[in-house]
Amino acid sequence: MPKLLIATSNQGKIKELEALLKKLDVELLTPTQMNLQLTVEEDGKTYQENAAKKALAYSRESGWLTLADDSGLEVDALNGAPGLHSARYAPKANATDADRRRYLLENLKPKPRPWSAHFHATIAIATPQGQVYFAEGNCYGEILPEERGENGFGYDPIFYFPEAQKTMAELSSAEKNRISHRAAAVKNALHVLRPLLSAG
Ligand code: IMP
């Protein structure tokens, strides 16, 4: 069976990508399983740059076809912040997801509601020969001033998805995987992923 390395240590992303890629005949590998400990500086100016950097570094190191996701939350009232910096958006060191949600809400407090926002995901797929392919996805909603729900990760408890009248953290994982930015990006990646896997 062909193999695909998922270049992330974010357990939330790994769980979602495993479910989203289930229908492909592929064995998914994680850096932990492969004892790979790379530090990839996410200093690119775009999601594509960061995703490509991660995918290429892991692919080069492992020799396997590799998929990396670079994603973020873009809030209109904050001119698109935290955006590329979503994973590191907090004034203190060693901040948790909960700290980042609190910090975001503090920054939004003076701004009039609704706080429209969207999640973005860029997927990069790198071959061991150094080629890179991209796919993107978005999910539109708004930020709520209080947390709701226990599922998901990151900003999910404060991201309201109007069509379901629930926050992302109130959706089941199957529901989130039907509507999320990551689900859309994976869907858009399938037309490059399938041939690469069968060629591999
Ligand atoms: P990165 O792609 O490793 O730079 O991290 C993306 C960051 O964006 C995550 O650490 C989360 O804070 C946020 N994020 C991305 N996707 C989601 C999601 O599906 N739910 C909640 N937060 C997300």
Side-chain angles (χ1 to χ4, degrees):
M1 197 187 286
K3 292 183 173 56
L4 176 67
L5 176 63
I6 305 291
T8 183
S9 53
N10 178 325
Q11 287 307 312
K13 281 190 192 179
I14 290 178
K15 239 180 91 193
E16 289 182 14
L17 289 167
E18 279 175 348
L20 292 167
L21 294 165
K22 215 172 183 165
K23 50 180 173 269
L24 291 180
D25 247 354
V26 61
E27 182 184 341
L28 296 181
L29 308 168
T30 63
T32 318
Q33 274 171 3
M34 299 199 67
N35 251 324
L36 280 177
Q37 285 176 336
L38 298 188
T39 310
V40 182
E41 190 97 48
E42 296 193 32
D43 56 1
K45 288 186 181 57
T46 62
Y47 293 101
Q48 283 206 353
E49 270 183 62
N50 283 339
K53 240 184 133 178
K54 289 187 267 189
L56 282 167
Y58 277 89
S59 175
R60 208 176 293 127
E61 189 69 17
S62 68
W64 292 111
L65 187 68
T66 300
L67 182 153
D69 155 304
D70 200 61
S71 44
L73 172 68
E74 309 210 341
V75 182
D76 296 336
L78 300 176
N79 300 317
L84 270 187
H85 309 287
S86 295
R88 301 167 292 281
Y89 184 65
K92 64 176 186 183
N94 301 320
T96 62
D97 280 348
D99 293 326
R100 283 183 275 276
R101 294 194 294 270
R102 253 193 309 275
Y103 183 56
L104 180 72
L105 292 178
E106 269 169 38
N107 290 336
L108 274 174
K109 219 168 181 178
K111 313 276 185 191
R113 286 184 66 196
W115 297 323
S116 57
H118 69 275
F119 276 120
H120 174 84
T122 293
I123 279 178
I125 297 158
T127 68
Q129 295 77 30
Q131 292 147 317
V132 190
Y133 303 87
F134 297 102
E136 322 243 330
N138 292 299
C139 177
Y140 292 84
E142 71 174 271
I143 302 301
L144 293 186
E146 72 289 325
E147 303 204 350
R148 287 203 219 156
E150 306 290 331
N151 302 329
F153 68 97
Y155 300 92
D156 281 346
I158 53 171
F159 185 91
Y160 181 75
F161 182 64
E163 282 158 53
Q165 299 189 5
K166 285 179 182 172
T167 67
M168 285 287 219
E170 290 176 308
L171 297 176
S172 68
S173 46
E175 285 169 327
K176 181 177 174 187
N177 286 339
R178 275 196 288 277
I179 57 91
S180 79
H181 48 309
R182 196 161 292 104
V186 167
K187 194 170 165 210
N188 291 331
L190 288 179
H191 72 282
V192 283
L193 206 42
R194 282 206 172 98
L196 285 171
L197 287 168
S198 49

